[in-house]
């Protein structure tokens, strides 16, 4: 049996490792387009910030660790064609030579690519001018070259999703003046505005200039610096004549006018789209957004072809098929694909979109559905906000955790939780308890009954999450 895996990141390597774990004899080859097998791209912001000093340390495991398991790793080689009838893949190396790779079973794990928003000029600009997208280690090296190779004093980040926020912190840590621009009304649009404004406060408290409800419409190079043109709310603010950086308070008015800001570097991080040109050309079924259609076993419609990670549709526990590109999900799907590719019969249990982000000293997290998402999925949602200390207030260092809890008004089932608190308030683990409860199908009443741990320096007899559940069951007023 020869298992071929296309893609050598979270999903692809997870597939190869699981296949090896289950079968010491199967012949496994992983082919990847770049030179960085099994790198933790989630760690990129911490290399850029300087918290991780050597980029090699971002590898989950080294190439030789993988090869020591008898897995062949072919780097710098892009698969260009899959012949599903003949079970053959044509790939091209950096030097231009093509190779044919036969397979008995194939796992496609080609991931995602960054979205290029419609910004005038962006198609002609790149790392040489200080304009960057950020998804791969190659992108990371280019960002670091810009930061260290030229005098970068200011940066504009387009997009205030979790990568944009992590990068704002990273660049600030390097002493760079950061302007974060977001087209939507609030930063971190994956959580409710009632909580996201606390993330904005954290950013502005650390000197980040945050411009929401503002669209970047163009980027130009003038006198060796980048000039970023925007429309929307930011256009209503007074700006410094020298840098264009906001100096006055926001007027709060969407003037519809334009303003400009100069910067030494622009980072465009406005989301990703599935990278599935290869699969599409092979006749493999794609969903409306271009993600590969897979069943719960991670099998595609093509015989002996499986797929996993950011390139596929994701089964969501509460809403069925969706698209949720996350490292956690890619690892799990890859493991399932690897197992089934060599004859197993495992199902991907499903995602809840559980995610967490650290922005300076606060942590924001969510799992499950928000009110509007739950309603769109046919539930009868009600969302309640609550605030509780992470541990007993008499013990030093207690901090508030802000929670929004969504449940189904008819059944009482827990559907979603969002949380924000200081790092030391263990938001990341509390959200995991919520994810476990949703996965298990608990009602909010049952969540309140769980036997959770308590000692005054770390918690309360009723955990933050249980206090939130009780508030949902008996809303105030
Ligand atoms: C800066 C950053 C921070 C992140 N932080 C988090 C986080 O904190 N938590 C979280 O859960 N997720 C995070 N993510 C998302 C997470 O990294 C991705 O969901 C995950 O890496 C997806 O893994 P993947 O294997 O599906 O795809 P990718 O990581 O995109 O890898 C795709 C692989 O396919 C290869 N490839 C593509 N086309 C071809 C081809 N034609 N031939 C051969 N090889 C090919 C590529 O070289 C690569 O090896 C972050 C992402 C970024 C960019």
């Amino acid at each position: 049996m020869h298992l071929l895996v296309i893609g050598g990141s979270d999903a692809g390597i997870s597939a190869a490792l699981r296949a090896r774990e289950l079968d010491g004899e199967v012949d496994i080859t992983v082919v990847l387009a770049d030179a960085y097998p099994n790198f933790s791209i989630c760690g990129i912001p911490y290399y850029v910030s300087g918290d991780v000093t050597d980029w090699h340390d971002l590898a989950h495991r080294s190439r030789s660790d993988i090869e020591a398991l008898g897995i062949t790793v072919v780097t710098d080689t892009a698969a260009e064609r899959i012949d599903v009838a003949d079970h053959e893949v044509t790939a091209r190396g950096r030097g231009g030579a093509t190779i044919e790779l036969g397979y008995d079973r194939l796992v496609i794990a080609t991931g995602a690519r960054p979205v290029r928003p419609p910004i005038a000029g962006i198609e002609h600009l790149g790392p040489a001018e200080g304009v960057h997208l950020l998804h791969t280690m190659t992108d990371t090296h280019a960002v670091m070259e810009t930061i260290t190779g030229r005098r970068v004093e200011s940066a504009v980040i387009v997009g205030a999703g979790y990568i944009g926020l992590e990068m704002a912190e990273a660049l600030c840590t390097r002493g760079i003046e950061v302007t974060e621009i977001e087209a939507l009304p609030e930063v971190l649009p994956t959580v409710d505005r009632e909580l996201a404004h606390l993330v904005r406060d954290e950013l502005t408290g650390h000197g980040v200039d945050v411009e929401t409800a503002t669209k970047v419409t163009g980027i130009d190079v003038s006198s060796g610096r980048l000039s970023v043109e925007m429309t929307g709310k930011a256009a209503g603010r007074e700006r410094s004549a020298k840098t264009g950086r906001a100096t006055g308070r926001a007027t709060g008015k969407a003037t519809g006018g334009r303003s400009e800001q100069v910067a030494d570097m622009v980072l465009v991080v406005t989301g990703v789209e599935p990278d599935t040109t290869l699969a599409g050309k092979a006749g493999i079924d794609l969903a409306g957004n271009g993600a590969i259609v897979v069943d719960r076993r991670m099998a595609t419609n093509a015989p002996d072809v499986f797929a996993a990670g950011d390139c596929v549709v994701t089964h969501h526990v509460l809403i069925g098929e969706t698209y949720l590109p996350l490292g956690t999900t890619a690892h799990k799907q890859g493991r399932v694909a690897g197992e089934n590719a060599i004859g197993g019969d495992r199902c991907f249990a499903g995602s809840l979109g559980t995610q967490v982000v650290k922005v300076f000293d606060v942590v924001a997290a969510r799992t499950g559905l928000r009110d509007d998402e739950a309603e769109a999925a046919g539930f009868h949602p009600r969302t309640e906000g609550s605030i509780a200390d992470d541990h007993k207030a008499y013990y030093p260092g207690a901090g508030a955790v802000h929670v929004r809890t969504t449940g189904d008004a008819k059944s009482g089932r827990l559907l979603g939780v969002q949380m924000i608190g200081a790092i030391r308030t263990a938001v990341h683990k509390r959200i995991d308890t919520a994810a476990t409860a949703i996965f298990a199908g608990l009602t909010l009443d049952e969540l309140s009954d769980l036997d959770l741990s308590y000692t005054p320096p770390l918690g309360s007899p009723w955990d933050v999450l249980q206090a939130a559940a009780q508030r949902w069951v008996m809303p105030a007023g």
Side-chain angles (χ1 to χ4, degrees):
M1 153 87 79
H2 183 211
L3 170 63
L4 177 63
V5 179
I6 304 176
S9 186
D10 293 348
I13 297 292
S14 295
L17 291 175
R18 181 59 174 161
R20 172 56 74 237
E21 194 171 278
L22 294 172
D23 186 339
E25 298 301 314
V26 63
D27 188 25
I28 306 172
T29 301
V30 177
V31 56
L32 61 150
D34 67 16
Y36 307 102
N38 211 196
F39 267 71
S40 171
I41 57 176
C42 306
I44 291 171
Y46 311 105
Y47 169 57
V48 174
S49 68
D51 291 319
V52 176
T53 51
D54 182 347
W55 63 266
H56 295 92
D57 292 341
L58 293 183
H60 288 297
R61 51 184 76 65
S62 69
R63 177 181 187 147
S64 49
D65 290 340
I66 300 164
E67 288 176 335
L69 297 168
I71 296 170
T72 303
V73 178
V74 183
T75 52
D76 289 320
T77 302
E80 291 186 342
R81 182 169 168 268
I82 303 169
D83 186 332
V84 293
D86 281 354
H87 284 47
E88 198 165 73
V89 168
T90 307
R92 191 180 298 276
R94 274 267 160 85
T98 59
I99 51 171
E100 306 291 334
L101 298 157
Y103 66 83
D104 295 308
R105 299 284 158 75
L106 177 68
V107 174
I108 302 175
T110 46
R113 56 183 165 229
V115 167
R116 277 176 187 269
I119 296 175
I122 197 176
E123 61 283 8
H124 308 299
L125 299 171
E129 292 83 21
V131 177
H132 296 266
L133 301 173
L134 186 67
H135 189 72
T136 64
M137 287 308 297
T138 307
D139 298 337
T140 308
H141 293 318
V143 165
M144 291 303 279
E145 228 174 280
T146 296
I147 291 173
T148 55
R150 58 165 84 183
R151 229 173 105 229
V152 173
E153 291 179 351
S154 59
V156 166
I157 299 179
V158 188
Y162 73 91
I163 296 177
L165 300 180
E166 289 173 348
M167 288 303 293
E169 178 181 343
L171 296 180
C172 275
T173 306
R174 286 197 157 261
I176 296 169
E177 275 195 348
V178 176
T179 300
E180 178 97 53
I181 303 180
E182 169 59 52
L184 293 170
E186 191 49 275
V187 299
L188 196 59
T190 43
V191 302
D192 290 349
R193 288 175 69 177
E194 288 85 343
L195 297 187
H197 77 90
L198 297 168
V199 177
R200 172 202 283 262
D201 292 349
E202 185 70 6
L203 289 162
T204 53
H206 283 82
V208 177
D209 176 17
V210 179
E211 306 290 1
T212 48
T214 299
K215 262 195 180 160
V216 171
T217 51
I219 307 174
D220 205 358
V221 193
S222 59
S223 323
R225 296 195 83 192
L226 294 158
S227 161
V228 179
E229 190 175 283
M230 47 196 152
T231 60
K233 206 165 152 192
R237 283 164 58 105
E238 279 172 33
R239 313 192 80 79
S240 144
K242 183 164 162 257
T243 62
R245 202 172 150 86
T247 55
R249 289 174 58 80
T251 61
K253 281 186 204 150
T255 63
R258 290 173 186 277
S259 69
E260 248 181 34
Q261 173 142 354
V262 285
D264 302 308
M265 175 178 166
V266 176
L267 190 62
V268 180
V269 277
T270 53
V272 296
E273 58 196 10
D275 184 353
T276 56
T277 313
L278 177 70
K281 279 197 301 190
I284 292 169
D285 282 350
L286 305 182
N289 73 336
I292 299 171
V293 175
V294 287
D295 62 17
R296 299 275 298 277
R297 297 179 65 252
M298 308 312 297
T300 71
N301 66 312
D304 302 320
V305 181
F306 296 78
D310 283 5
C311 62
V312 304
V313 297
T314 294
H315 178 75
H316 190 290
V317 172
L318 296 170
I319 58 174
E321 305 322 305
T322 184
Y323 182 63
L324 265 170
L326 284 169
T328 45
T329 308
H331 275 93
K332 292 187 188 82
Q333 292 176 333
R335 191 174 159 86
V336 170
E339 178 163 343
N340 292 339
I342 60 159
D345 190 22
R346 181 178 282 265
C347 278
F348 171 60
S351 164
L352 282 166
T354 309
Q355 51 198 279
V356 59
V357 61
K358 177 185 103 60
V359 185
F360 295 102
D361 299 323
V362 304
V363 174
R366 67 166 283 182
T367 185
L369 305 176
R370 291 158 65 183
D371 209 273
D372 55 336
E373 297 162 345
E375 187 160 0
F379 292 102
H380 303 275
R382 175 162 57 78
T383 296
E384 296 290 338
S386 58
I387 304 175
D389 283 341
D390 71 307
H391 64 254
K392 291 305 296 178
Y394 58 73
Y395 186 88
V401 181
H402 300 249
V403 187
R404 285 182 67 76
T405 312
T406 303
D408 185 73
K410 277 195 170 167
S411 64
R413 184 178 179 187
L414 177 64
L415 297 175
V417 176
Q418 306 162 58
M419 273 188 196
I420 291 193
I423 290 184
R424 61 176 193 282
T425 62
V427 160
H428 63 302
K429 286 298 130 195
R430 291 192 154 106
I431 208 72
D432 287 348
T433 306
T436 310
I438 299 172
F439 192 82
L442 298 192
T443 63
L444 281 115
D445 239 350
E446 289 168 329
L447 172 58
S448 172
D449 285 343
L450 289 181
D451 180 20
L452 303 181
S453 66
Y454 161 55
T455 182
L458 298 174
S460 299
W462 294 111
D463 184 68
V464 167
L465 201 51
Q466 292 174 309
Q470 289 167 5
R471 171 69 183 267
W472 190 92
V473 174
M474 297 280 289

